[in-house]
């Protein structure tokens, strides 16, 4: 290999001893990443699901540049600024109408921490401190901080910390075959009166391998939670901003959550930013003369003006008809590709919603993030100029919306060829 690990740098989610050395990216444009050795890679997973409109989109880059010359950062307690105001005024009308307030943080994990703390303190502030239980879904992933790890599935990722994580009730992913049992289990837990909230990744569990479930079952879960007087939290860190075909996955639902977590695509993939949005009722439980009812949470970079300016520019692009048309076109192309793959002997399952397409490979090894086919598949795609990062034996696509029909066809062709090769290697 011509590349090597940097002597000082430790990469995320990377076993530094066995992983291939990283590729040095020098520039990016549209869906393309260009490396120092003169190669080009099509970023078919939007760089960990953050990029929406393509890399270095000039409108977002210009918005950040203008803002950097005006106001780069200011403490957000006691101060406010135009980019935060503009972002709030742009984002709130795009969300379901019952949402009233938004709280800034730094990334997906912290948007989840904020949501959990908000839900727990909502009850605490009302003298209902016994409501401390959280319900989460099996296979869930909500981030890497301690609260987020606690509500995530217990697995190899958080095993080292498991004694320190708080206990949650864990519900199976609902489907036609188990919905009655899932609802019965849910009602059992709710009947204790101890449940503060349920948190879910609505309709698509990303890190679990793009596991999908139907809106009508999530509607039933949210309805049961609300009937019992507890709160519903939708973690839209991955699903938000058009990934599922609608602007937000909750638009597929009748029964709406009380809190939504947003991040990743919010700045179009330029800068880290988290936002947690809640209802007026939740806000009112903190809006008191009693200073002890304050929401005691904040980060140094809360509401960073550069990130807010990037988000405003990205949201404008997202609302443009041409972007909406691209989302619809990607959705249609994925659907046709999925149909064309039906019956392939190496495919165990194909899942598709909006711009997300997942192909679960039928390896002899059981399905898992640690399935050894991952590395072979990853290398295969890189050698052909496509950046895909399978989740174990699940190869998935989540491209930036600027990807053209021809580029998509190129990715599909490489995936199609890979299926035969990977199968023959088993
Ligand atoms: C649903 C969901 N929630 C939270 C997170 C954590 O986001 P971040 O990596 O920005 O902390 C992720 C990241 O993949 C996610 O998919």
């Amino acid at each position: 290999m011509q590349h090597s690990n940097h002597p000082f740098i430790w990469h995320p989610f990377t076993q530094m001893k066995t992983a291939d050395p990283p590729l040095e990216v020098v520039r990016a444009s549209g869906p393309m990443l260009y490396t120092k050795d003169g190669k080009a890679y099509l970023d078919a997973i939007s760089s960990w699901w953050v990029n929406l409109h393509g890399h270095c989109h000039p409108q977002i880059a210009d918005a950040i540049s203008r803002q950097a010359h005006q106001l780069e950062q200011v403490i957000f307690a006691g101060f406010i600024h135009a980019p935060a105001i503009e972002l709030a005024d742009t984002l709130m009308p795009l969300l379901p109408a019952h949402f009233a307030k938004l709280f800034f943080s730094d990334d997906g994990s912290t948007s989840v921490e904020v949501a959990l703390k908000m839900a727990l303190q909502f009850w605490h502030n009302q003298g209902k401190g016994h409501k401390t239980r959280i319900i989460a879904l099996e296979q869930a992933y909500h981030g890497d901080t301690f609260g987020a790890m606690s509500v995530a599935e217990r697995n190899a990722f958080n095993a080292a910390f498991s004694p320190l994580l708080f206990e949650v009730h864990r519900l199976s992913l609902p489907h036609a075959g188990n919905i009655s049992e899932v609802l019965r289990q849910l009602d059992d837990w709710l009947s204790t009166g101890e449940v503060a909230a349920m948190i879910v990744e609505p309709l698509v569990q990303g890190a679990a391998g793009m596991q999908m479930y139907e809106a009508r079952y999530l509607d039933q879960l949210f309805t049961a939670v609300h009937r019992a007087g507890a709160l519903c939290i939708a973690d839209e860190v991955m699903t938000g901003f058009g990934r599922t075909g609608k602007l937000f996955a909750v638009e597929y639902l009748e029964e709406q959550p009380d809190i939504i977590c947003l991040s990743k695509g919010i700045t179009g993939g330029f800068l880290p930013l988290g936002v947690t949005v809640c209802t007026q009722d939740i806000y009112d439980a903190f809006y008191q003369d009693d200073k002890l009812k304050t929401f005691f949470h904040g980060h140094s970079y809360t509401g960073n003006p550069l990130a807010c300016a990037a988000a405003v520019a990205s949201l404008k692009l997202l609302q443009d008809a041409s972007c909406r048309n691209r989302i619809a076109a990607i959705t249609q192309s994925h659907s046709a590709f999925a149909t064309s793959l039906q019956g392939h002997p190496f495919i165990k399952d194909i899942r598709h919603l909006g711009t997300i397409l997942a192909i679960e490979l039928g390896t002899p090894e059981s399905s898992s993030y640690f399935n050894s086919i991952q590395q072979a598949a990853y290398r295969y795609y890189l050698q052909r100029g496509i950046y895909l990062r399978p989740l174990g034996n699940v190869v998935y696509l989540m491209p930036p919306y600027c990807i053209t029909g021809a580029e998509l066809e190129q990715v599909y062709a490489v995936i199609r060829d890979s299926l035969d090769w990977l199968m023959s290697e088993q």
Side-chain angles (χ1 to χ4, degrees):
M1 275 276 172
Q2 72 225 77
H3 310 279
S4 61
N5 285 324
H6 187 277
F8 300 141
I9 296 176
W10 191 347
H11 291 270
F13 279 108
T14 302
Q15 174 44 264
M16 296 298 289
K17 187 162 184 188
T18 58
D20 293 337
L23 305 175
E24 187 170 339
V25 180
V26 288
R27 147 180 106 74
S29 173
M32 302 306 296
L33 301 168
Y34 300 95
T35 50
K36 201 172 174 183
D37 56 8
K39 293 188 178 149
Y41 299 91
L42 196 153
D43 182 358
I45 61 153
S46 301
S47 279
W48 252 343
W49 322 341
V50 300
N51 192 288
L52 291 191
H53 311 290
H55 291 276
C56 296
H57 194 288
Q59 269 165 260
I60 305 178
D62 288 348
I64 296 171
S65 166
R66 276 194 306 275
Q67 188 56 44
H69 288 94
Q70 186 76 31
L71 170 70
E72 88 301 354
Q73 165 66 9
V74 65
I75 174 173
F76 206 62
F79 289 96
I80 192 164
H81 46 71
I85 294 170
E86 209 184 335
L87 174 52
D89 290 346
T90 311
L91 179 60
M92 292 307 280
L94 300 178
L95 286 159
H98 69 295
F99 284 107
K101 301 285 173 185
L102 65 79
F103 192 95
F104 292 110
S105 59
D106 296 346
D107 48 42
S109 302
T110 51
S111 75
V112 169
E113 296 293 333
V114 168
L116 295 172
K117 287 175 71 174
M118 232 178 222
L120 292 165
Q121 195 179 335
F122 168 75
W123 296 115
H124 179 89
N125 279 3
Q126 298 175 82
K128 296 180 180 164
H130 60 284
K131 283 185 171 288
T132 55
R133 278 290 185 164
I134 304 289
I135 298 175
L137 292 179
E138 284 174 4
Q139 305 299 322
Y141 177 76
H142 296 285
D144 294 337
T145 49
F146 268 78
M149 281 195 295
S150 294
V151 292
E153 175 75 49
R154 297 290 188 273
N155 55 26
F157 294 95
N158 48 47
F161 321 105
S162 68
L164 303 174
L165 303 179
F166 61 77
E167 282 302 314
V168 301
H169 292 308
R170 201 164 296 288
L171 210 54
S172 301
L173 207 62
H175 53 75
N178 72 356
I179 185 66
S180 314
E181 175 53 21
V182 166
L183 284 172
R184 194 199 55 71
Q185 176 66 83
L186 179 61
D187 282 336
D188 265 9
W189 289 326
L190 290 167
S191 67
T192 62
E194 292 172 357
V195 173
M198 176 166 80
I199 183 165
V200 302
E201 294 158 89
L203 309 192
V204 188
Q205 292 188 304
M210 304 298 154
Q211 298 294 338
M212 299 186 186
Y213 61 111
E214 289 181 45
R216 60 185 153 146
Y217 301 124
L218 184 53
D219 266 328
Q220 286 178 265
L221 304 191
F222 276 1
T223 303
V225 173
H226 280 154
R227 207 187 306 120
L231 299 174
C232 298
I233 304 171
D235 174 354
E236 291 237 31
V237 167
M238 187 278 281
T239 51
F241 305 105
R243 294 297 185 196
T244 66
K246 295 197 189 270
L247 212 41
F248 301 100
V250 295
E251 289 175 31
Y252 288 96
L253 300 177
E254 303 283 334
E255 190 73 18
Q256 288 295 314
D258 308 280
I259 300 179
I260 294 190
C261 307
L262 300 170
S263 187
K264 289 205 184 270
I266 190 167
T267 63
F270 272 65
L271 288 165
L273 179 68
V275 165
T276 306
V277 187
C278 71
T279 59
Q280 186 70 41
D281 269 5
I282 294 177
Y283 182 75
D284 286 346
F286 294 79
Y287 190 77
Q288 312 275 336
D289 292 321
D290 182 353
K291 287 211 168 52
L292 297 179
K293 301 221 160 136
T294 303
F295 188 42
F296 291 114
H297 188 102
H299 301 280
S300 309
Y301 284 93
T302 296
N304 173 256
L306 304 179
C308 291
V312 170
S314 176
L315 286 178
K316 281 187 187 143
L317 290 168
L318 195 59
Q319 290 175 82
D320 201 275
S322 64
C323 183
R324 297 302 185 92
N325 292 342
R326 282 308 306 146
I327 291 174
I330 295 168
T331 303
Q332 266 184 11
S333 300
H334 279 358
S335 173
F337 180 50
T339 306
S340 78
L341 290 180
Q342 292 292 347
H344 191 286
F346 198 46
I347 295 180
K348 187 171 167 195
D349 191 23
I350 304 181
R351 301 183 276 276
H352 171 224
L353 184 65
T355 68
I356 308 169
L357 176 68
I359 302 159
E360 185 169 338
L361 306 178
T363 54
E365 255 177 80
S366 56
S367 292
S368 132
Y369 184 85
F370 298 101
N371 191 301
S372 57
I373 203 166
Q374 199 276 347
Q375 201 166 29
Y378 179 76
R379 286 177 180 158
Y380 181 97
Y381 299 127
L382 273 189
Q383 278 159 11
R384 286 153 186 82
I386 310 291
Y387 175 57
L388 284 168
R389 195 171 189 276
L391 292 155
N393 57 318
V394 178
V395 176
Y396 71 92
L397 283 169
M398 198 190 294
Y401 307 144
C402 66
I403 194 168
T404 63
E407 286 162 339
L408 267 179
E409 288 307 324
Q410 186 194 340
V411 178
Y412 295 154
V414 171
I415 292 180
R416 190 187 298 282
D417 289 347
S418 77
L419 294 175
D420 298 330
W421 182 79
L422 290 166
M423 187 166 69
S424 71
E425 289 293 293
Q426 295 302 299

